Amino acid sequence: EAQVTQNPRYLITVTGKKLTVTCSQNMNHEYMSWYRQDPGLGLRQIYYSMNVEVTDKGDVPEGYKVSRKEKRNFPLILESPSPNQTSLYFCASRPLDRNNSPLHFGNGTRLTVT
Amino acid sequence: AQSVTQLDSQVPVFEEAPVELRCNYSSSVSVYLFWYVQYPNQGLQLLLKYLSGSTLVKGINGFEAEFNKSQTSFHLRKPSVHISDTAEYFCAPLVGKYIFGTGTRLKVLA
């Protein structure tokens, strides 16, 4: 089944404790992206990647890191989480063979930083 | 700069009633337009899209949307909603990258 898989689904951590949220897709998509969803703000893009070893900042990159060592994986790293990073995070991917292809989303990771 | 506005943050409607969720966008260039739906505790999934051609597009679950270039709108409609349509709906123009609206929570009441 074609899918984007995020882990974990839920995560509670404390301020300053490094964490990684994993994202993997099995559709051979070139493009992958991370979003955060907050009430009243919709989805805001954190980072994106057009292909292996190519990453770029989105609209709200501060406090986050990503890497794209393999085409299928795009982990999101919070080196020193803070309470304002409490949010619902989504990973998404799409092919780049057409410039109007839809995004495929994972089921989300709900992060709470205390 | 491109932007998108979903005017209604919440829309309550009774089952079997019609519904319209509004979306307006601003762009100086041509856009592709998408609606995504997010059911509780799930990720977003594609509902429908406008790429070109007929301005009335049909999507899954009986939803449709009409592209109006002069009013820069892409409103989502369904003639008769079901309880299972309760979800959050996002309008998302694609202009190089996706720009997501703030979402509209549709609550279908029995």
PDB file of all heavy atoms in Angstrom, chain A residues 10-31:
ATOM      1  N   TYR A  10       2.370   9.901  18.947  1.00  0.00           N
ATOM      2  CA  TYR A  10       2.276  10.810  20.086  1.00  0.00           C
ATOM      3  C   TYR A  10       3.628  10.836  20.793  1.00  0.00           C
ATOM      4  O   TYR A  10       4.290   9.807  20.934  1.00  0.00           O
ATOM      5  CB  TYR A  10       1.199  10.341  21.078  1.00  0.00           C
ATOM      6  CG  TYR A  10      -0.175  10.241  20.468  1.00  0.00           C
ATOM      7  CD1 TYR A  10      -0.621   9.049  19.909  1.00  0.00           C
ATOM      8  CD2 TYR A  10      -1.022  11.339  20.451  1.00  0.00           C
ATOM      9  CE1 TYR A  10      -1.882   8.962  19.348  1.00  0.00           C
ATOM     10  CE2 TYR A  10      -2.290  11.260  19.895  1.00  0.00           C
ATOM     11  CZ  TYR A  10      -2.709  10.069  19.342  1.00  0.00           C
ATOM     12  OH  TYR A  10      -3.958   9.991  18.783  1.00  0.00           O
ATOM     13  N   LEU A  11       3.999  12.032  21.243  1.00  0.00           N
ATOM     14  CA  LEU A  11       5.277  12.178  21.932  1.00  0.00           C
ATOM     15  C   LEU A  11       5.168  13.299  22.951  1.00  0.00           C
ATOM     16  O   LEU A  11       4.769  14.410  22.607  1.00  0.00           O
ATOM     17  CB  LEU A  11       6.380  12.490  20.920  1.00  0.00           C
ATOM     18  CG  LEU A  11       7.805  12.656  21.426  1.00  0.00           C
ATOM     19  CD1 LEU A  11       8.248  11.422  22.193  1.00  0.00           C
ATOM     20  CD2 LEU A  11       8.750  12.929  20.253  1.00  0.00           C
ATOM     21  N   ILE A  12       5.517  12.979  24.191  1.00  0.00           N
ATOM     22  CA  ILE A  12       5.589  13.974  25.250  1.00  0.00           C
ATOM     23  C   ILE A  12       7.028  14.017  25.724  1.00  0.00           C
ATOM     24  O   ILE A  12       7.610  12.980  26.035  1.00  0.00           O
ATOM     25  CB  ILE A  12       4.652  13.613  26.429  1.00  0.00           C
ATOM     26  CG1 ILE A  12       3.206  13.505  25.935  1.00  0.00           C
ATOM     27  CG2 ILE A  12       4.758  14.662  27.538  1.00  0.00           C
ATOM     28  CD1 ILE A  12       2.235  13.006  26.995  1.00  0.00           C
ATOM     29  N   THR A  13       7.596  15.216  25.761  1.00  0.00           N
ATOM     30  CA  THR A  13       8.985  15.350  26.164  1.00  0.00           C
ATOM     31  C   THR A  13       9.154  16.607  27.008  1.00  0.00           C
ATOM     32  O   THR A  13       8.204  17.361  27.227  1.00  0.00           O
ATOM     33  CB  THR A  13       9.906  15.389  24.933  1.00  0.00           C
ATOM     34  OG1 THR A  13      11.266  15.296  25.360  1.00  0.00           O
ATOM     35  CG2 THR A  13       9.726  16.686  24.160  1.00  0.00           C
ATOM     36  N   VAL A  14      10.368  16.818  27.467  1.00  0.00           N
ATOM     37  CA  VAL A  14      10.663  17.998  28.287  1.00  0.00           C
ATOM     38  C   VAL A  14      11.548  18.957  27.507  1.00  0.00           C
ATOM     39  O   VAL A  14      12.257  18.565  26.561  1.00  0.00           O
ATOM     40  CB  VAL A  14      11.330  17.612  29.617  1.00  0.00           C
ATOM     41  CG1 VAL A  14      10.374  16.784  30.460  1.00  0.00           C
ATOM     42  CG2 VAL A  14      12.627  16.854  29.374  1.00  0.00           C
ATOM     43  N   THR A  15      11.523  20.186  27.912  1.00  0.00           N
ATOM     44  CA  THR A  15      12.324  21.226  27.271  1.00  0.00           C
ATOM     45  C   THR A  15      13.796  20.831  27.223  1.00  0.00           C
ATOM     46  O   THR A  15      14.352  20.386  28.231  1.00  0.00           O
ATOM     47  CB  THR A  15      12.163  22.549  28.029  1.00  0.00           C
ATOM     48  OG1 THR A  15      10.780  22.929  27.987  1.00  0.00           O
ATOM     49  CG2 THR A  15      12.998  23.642  27.404  1.00  0.00           C
ATOM     50  N   GLY A  16      14.374  20.950  26.024  1.00  0.00           N
ATOM     51  CA  GLY A  16      15.797  20.728  25.863  1.00  0.00           C
ATOM     52  C   GLY A  16      16.235  19.309  25.533  1.00  0.00           C
ATOM     53  O   GLY A  16      17.411  19.090  25.214  1.00  0.00           O
ATOM     54  N   LYS A  17      15.333  18.367  25.582  1.00  0.00           N
ATOM     55  CA  LYS A  17      15.705  16.982  25.307  1.00  0.00           C
ATOM     56  C   LYS A  17      15.542  16.666  23.822  1.00  0.00           C
ATOM     57  O   LYS A  17      14.422  16.586  23.313  1.00  0.00           O
ATOM     58  CB  LYS A  17      14.865  16.025  26.149  1.00  0.00           C
ATOM     59  CG  LYS A  17      15.297  14.581  26.029  1.00  0.00           C
ATOM     60  CD  LYS A  17      14.491  13.686  26.964  1.00  0.00           C
ATOM     61  CE  LYS A  17      14.972  12.248  26.858  1.00  0.00           C
ATOM     62  NZ  LYS A  17      14.188  11.350  27.735  1.00  0.00           N
ATOM     63  N   LYS A  18      16.654  16.445  23.148  1.00  0.00           N
ATOM     64  CA  LYS A  18      16.643  16.224  21.704  1.00  0.00           C
ATOM     65  C   LYS A  18      15.711  15.098  21.293  1.00  0.00           C
ATOM     66  O   LYS A  18      15.640  14.064  21.971  1.00  0.00           O
ATOM     67  CB  LYS A  18      18.059  15.915  21.231  1.00  0.00           C
ATOM     68  CG  LYS A  18      18.195  15.683  19.725  1.00  0.00           C
ATOM     69  CD  LYS A  18      19.633  15.383  19.335  1.00  0.00           C
ATOM     70  CE  LYS A  18      19.752  15.100  17.836  1.00  0.00           C
ATOM     71  NZ  LYS A  18      21.144  14.821  17.438  1.00  0.00           N
ATOM     72  N   LEU A  19      15.006  15.300  20.189  1.00  0.00           N
ATOM     73  CA  LEU A  19      14.134  14.251  19.687  1.00  0.00           C
ATOM     74  C   LEU A  19      14.119  14.238  18.171  1.00  0.00           C
ATOM     75  O   LEU A  19      14.446  15.238  17.521  1.00  0.00           O
ATOM     76  CB  LEU A  19      12.713  14.425  20.232  1.00  0.00           C
ATOM     77  CG  LEU A  19      11.931  15.661  19.793  1.00  0.00           C
ATOM     78  CD1 LEU A  19      11.119  15.384  18.526  1.00  0.00           C
ATOM     79  CD2 LEU A  19      10.990  16.119  20.907  1.00  0.00           C
ATOM     80  N   THR A  20      13.742  13.096  17.638  1.00  0.00           N
ATOM     81  CA  THR A  20      13.620  12.929  16.188  1.00  0.00           C
ATOM     82  C   THR A  20      12.277  12.306  15.863  1.00  0.00           C
ATOM     83  O   THR A  20      11.872  11.324  16.495  1.00  0.00           O
ATOM     84  CB  THR A  20      14.740  12.014  15.643  1.00  0.00           C
ATOM     85  OG1 THR A  20      16.001  12.608  15.915  1.00  0.00           O
ATOM     86  CG2 THR A  20      14.594  11.815  14.135  1.00  0.00           C
ATOM     87  N   VAL A  21      11.604  12.876  14.892  1.00  0.00           N
ATOM     88  CA  VAL A  21      10.375  12.288  14.365  1.00  0.00           C
ATOM     89  C   VAL A  21      10.703  11.724  12.989  1.00  0.00           C
ATOM     90  O   VAL A  21      11.231  12.442  12.131  1.00  0.00           O
ATOM     91  CB  VAL A  21       9.252  13.332  14.245  1.00  0.00           C
ATOM     92  CG1 VAL A  21       7.963  12.672  13.776  1.00  0.00           C
ATOM     93  CG2 VAL A  21       9.031  14.040  15.587  1.00  0.00           C
ATOM     94  N   THR A  22      10.414  10.456  12.789  1.00  0.00           N
ATOM     95  CA  THR A  22      10.785   9.836  11.515  1.00  0.00           C
ATOM     96  C   THR A  22       9.650   9.923  10.515  1.00  0.00           C
ATOM     97  O   THR A  22       8.467   9.989  10.867  1.00  0.00           O
ATOM     98  CB  THR A  22      11.174   8.364  11.712  1.00  0.00           C
ATOM     99  OG1 THR A  22      10.031   7.647  12.192  1.00  0.00           O
ATOM    100  CG2 THR A  22      12.316   8.233  12.698  1.00  0.00           C
ATOM    101  N   CYS A  23      10.022   9.934   9.243  1.00  0.00           N
ATOM    102  CA  CYS A  23       9.061   9.944   8.148  1.00  0.00           C
ATOM    103  C   CYS A  23       9.627   9.097   7.018  1.00  0.00           C
ATOM    104  O   CYS A  23      10.776   9.291   6.612  1.00  0.00           O
ATOM    105  CB  CYS A  23       8.804  11.361   7.654  1.00  0.00           C
ATOM    106  SG  CYS A  23       7.764  11.438   6.173  1.00  0.00           S
ATOM    107  N   SER A  24       8.801   8.213   6.501  1.00  0.00           N
ATOM    108  CA  SER A  24       9.232   7.351   5.414  1.00  0.00           C
ATOM    109  C   SER A  24       8.093   7.203   4.404  1.00  0.00           C
ATOM    110  O   SER A  24       6.937   7.072   4.787  1.00  0.00           O
ATOM    111  CB  SER A  24       9.614   5.978   5.977  1.00  0.00           C
ATOM    112  OG  SER A  24      10.041   5.120   4.949  1.00  0.00           O
ATOM    113  N   GLN A  25       8.438   7.239   3.111  1.00  0.00           N
ATOM    114  CA  GLN A  25       7.425   7.038   2.062  1.00  0.00           C
ATOM    115  C   GLN A  25       7.898   5.940   1.111  1.00  0.00           C
ATOM    116  O   GLN A  25       9.096   5.817   0.848  1.00  0.00           O
ATOM    117  CB  GLN A  25       7.132   8.347   1.313  1.00  0.00           C
ATOM    118  CG  GLN A  25       8.340   9.112   0.792  1.00  0.00           C
ATOM    119  CD  GLN A  25       8.737   8.811  -0.620  1.00  0.00           C
ATOM    120  OE1 GLN A  25       8.050   8.073  -1.355  1.00  0.00           O
ATOM    121  NE2 GLN A  25       9.859   9.392  -1.065  1.00  0.00           N
ATOM    122  N   ASN A  26       6.935   5.165   0.609  1.00  0.00           N
ATOM    123  CA  ASN A  26       7.267   4.016  -0.244  1.00  0.00           C
ATOM    124  C   ASN A  26       6.823   4.238  -1.688  1.00  0.00           C
ATOM    125  O   ASN A  26       6.590   3.273  -2.419  1.00  0.00           O
ATOM    126  CB  ASN A  26       6.662   2.737   0.324  1.00  0.00           C
ATOM    127  CG  ASN A  26       5.145   2.788   0.393  1.00  0.00           C
ATOM    128  OD1 ASN A  26       4.533   3.768  -0.016  1.00  0.00           O
ATOM    129  ND2 ASN A  26       4.532   1.738   0.909  1.00  0.00           N
ATOM    130  N   MET A  27       6.692   5.492  -2.105  1.00  0.00           N
ATOM    131  CA  MET A  27       6.179   5.802  -3.440  1.00  0.00           C
ATOM    132  C   MET A  27       7.259   6.356  -4.371  1.00  0.00           C
ATOM    133  O   MET A  27       6.962   6.815  -5.474  1.00  0.00           O
ATOM    134  CB  MET A  27       5.029   6.810  -3.320  1.00  0.00           C
ATOM    135  CG  MET A  27       3.842   6.247  -2.546  1.00  0.00           C
ATOM    136  SD  MET A  27       2.645   7.494  -2.052  1.00  0.00           S
ATOM    137  CE  MET A  27       3.439   8.161  -0.596  1.00  0.00           C
ATOM    138  N   ASN A  28       8.491   6.361  -3.908  1.00  0.00           N
ATOM    139  CA  ASN A  28       9.614   6.861  -4.708  1.00  0.00           C
ATOM    140  C   ASN A  28       9.448   8.341  -5.082  1.00  0.00           C
ATOM    141  O   ASN A  28       9.891   8.776  -6.149  1.00  0.00           O
ATOM    142  CB  ASN A  28       9.807   6.019  -5.981  1.00  0.00           C
ATOM    143  CG  ASN A  28      11.218   6.137  -6.536  1.00  0.00           C
ATOM    144  OD1 ASN A  28      12.190   6.203  -5.790  1.00  0.00           O
ATOM    145  ND2 ASN A  28      11.333   6.175  -7.853  1.00  0.00           N
ATOM    146  N   HIS A  29       8.827   9.105  -4.186  1.00  0.00           N
ATOM    147  CA  HIS A  29       8.622  10.525  -4.451  1.00  0.00           C
ATOM    148  C   HIS A  29       9.895  11.307  -4.226  1.00  0.00           C
ATOM    149  O   HIS A  29      10.633  11.074  -3.260  1.00  0.00           O
ATOM    150  CB  HIS A  29       7.529  11.085  -3.532  1.00  0.00           C
ATOM    151  CG  HIS A  29       6.169  10.610  -3.897  1.00  0.00           C
ATOM    152  ND1 HIS A  29       5.081  10.794  -3.062  1.00  0.00           N
ATOM    153  CD2 HIS A  29       5.702   9.967  -4.994  1.00  0.00           C
ATOM    154  CE1 HIS A  29       4.006  10.298  -3.637  1.00  0.00           C
ATOM    155  NE2 HIS A  29       4.354   9.787  -4.809  1.00  0.00           N
ATOM    156  N   GLU A  30      10.119  12.281  -5.118  1.00  0.00           N
ATOM    157  CA  GLU A  30      11.305  13.128  -4.961  1.00  0.00           C
ATOM    158  C   GLU A  30      11.113  14.151  -3.837  1.00  0.00           C
ATOM    159  O   GLU A  30      12.015  14.455  -3.079  1.00  0.00           O
ATOM    160  CB  GLU A  30      11.611  13.878  -6.263  1.00  0.00           C
ATOM    161  CG  GLU A  30      11.994  12.995  -7.441  1.00  0.00           C
ATOM    162  CD  GLU A  30      10.800  12.422  -8.174  1.00  0.00           C
ATOM    163  OE1 GLU A  30       9.645  12.811  -7.860  1.00  0.00           O
ATOM    164  OE2 GLU A  30      11.004  11.584  -9.073  1.00  0.00           O
ATOM    165  N   TYR A  31       9.913  14.703  -3.778  1.00  0.00           N
ATOM    166  CA  TYR A  31       9.649  15.827  -2.885  1.00  0.00           C
ATOM    167  C   TYR A  31       9.091  15.332  -1.563  1.00  0.00           C
ATOM    168  O   TYR A  31       8.161  14.530  -1.515  1.00  0.00           O
ATOM    169  CB  TYR A  31       8.643  16.767  -3.554  1.00  0.00           C
ATOM    170  CG  TYR A  31       8.268  17.992  -2.769  1.00  0.00           C
ATOM    171  CD1 TYR A  31       8.941  19.193  -2.961  1.00  0.00           C
ATOM    172  CD2 TYR A  31       7.218  17.971  -1.852  1.00  0.00           C
ATOM    173  CE1 TYR A  31       8.593  20.337  -2.246  1.00  0.00           C
ATOM    174  CE2 TYR A  31       6.864  19.098  -1.144  1.00  0.00           C
ATOM    175  CZ  TYR A  31       7.543  20.285  -1.353  1.00  0.00           C
ATOM    176  OH  TYR A  31       7.200  21.409  -0.648  1.00  0.00           O
TER     177      TYR A  31
END
